[in-house]
Amino acid sequence: MQRAMGRRDQGLSVLSVWLLPRELFTNTRSDLGPCEKIHDENLRITYEKSSRFMKEGYERDFLRYLQSLLAEVERRIRRGHARLALSQAQQNAGGPGPAGKNEEKVQVLTEKIEDLVLQIEELGSEGRVEEAQGMMKLVEQLKDERELLGSNPSFSPAR
């Protein structure tokens, strides 16, 4: 057991044996791809019975991973709502009108946000959580700026 627990850095996952988030959305747009961690039911049972249970940090790491998945889903939902609101506003206005001036800026911001989110996911998977959190603040600022552009056609961010 102790030798197996020492393989944590090599991708051992004793918690996710009973919950495999990567298998929830296979063959969908939200497919996370194959998991590179080791999943061993016997090791999980041994771990739960050991004195190291809840002390190794597996639980915290797994919770952090699940929170990142939730944040990504929430971001996609917000993006979908923003896209829907923009589409409805354009239909009500009879076309692109003044909102069309900011469409390109909104698109550029969306691309920046998506790129940063990918970088954040990579940092999180590498365990560089503080860097990922710092980048997440930047993403939130860009999202706020994008929302202002979408809701206020005359808004022009100072750059």
Side-chain angles (χ1 to χ4, degrees):
M1 161 100 174
Q2 200 167 19
R3 186 175 36 166
M5 297 306 260
R7 293 186 350 204
R8 178 179 186 173
D9 293 333
Q10 297 172 3
L12 180 66
S13 177
V14 294
L15 288 180
S16 62
V17 169
W18 56 270
L19 174 63
L20 299 170
R22 291 183 172 272
E23 292 182 3
L24 293 176
F25 305 105
T26 55
N27 299 323
T28 69
R29 288 180 58 202
S30 298
D31 192 337
L32 299 170
C35 184
E36 296 177 7
K37 296 192 180 287
I38 300 167
H39 301 278
D40 186 344
E41 179 68 24
N42 293 327
L43 183 59
R44 181 185 63 84
I45 292 168
T46 305
Y47 172 67
E48 287 176 351
K49 292 178 182 177
S50 78
S51 62
R52 299 173 117 185
F53 183 61
M54 300 292 286
K55 295 178 186 172
E56 285 291 312
Y58 292 109
E59 298 82 3
R60 185 176 44 251
D61 293 345
F62 191 60
L63 178 61
R64 207 175 338 206
Y65 173 67
L66 293 176
Q67 288 171 334
S68 72
L69 292 178
L70 178 61
E72 175 64 20
V73 168
E74 288 174 344
R75 181 192 66 81
R76 287 183 183 182
I77 290 170
R78 282 194 307 268
R79 188 172 65 186
H81 284 294
R83 197 176 299 135
L84 178 62
L86 179 62
S87 172
Q88 289 174 343
Q90 287 177 347
Q91 285 179 350
N92 291 340
K101 297 176 184 176
N102 288 331
E103 280 183 14
E104 185 174 319
K105 292 178 184 176
V106 169
Q107 182 63 34
V108 169
L109 285 173
T110 300
E111 291 173 6
K112 283 183 184 178
I113 290 168
E114 290 172 352
D115 290 341
L116 285 171
V117 167
L118 290 174
Q119 291 176 10
I120 289 169
E121 290 173 357
E122 289 177 30
L123 289 172
S125 67
E126 295 172 7
R128 297 162 56 190
V129 178
E130 291 179 7
E131 291 176 58
Q133 288 174 340
M135 288 182 75
M136 199 62 202
K137 289 178 184 176
L138 175 60
V139 167
E140 293 301 325
Q141 291 172 349
L142 292 174
K143 287 179 185 177
D144 291 343
E145 185 176 316
R146 184 179 63 188
E147 280 184 26
L148 284 173
L149 283 170
S151 64
N152 186 1
S154 62
F155 174 77
S156 179
R159 288 219 177 248

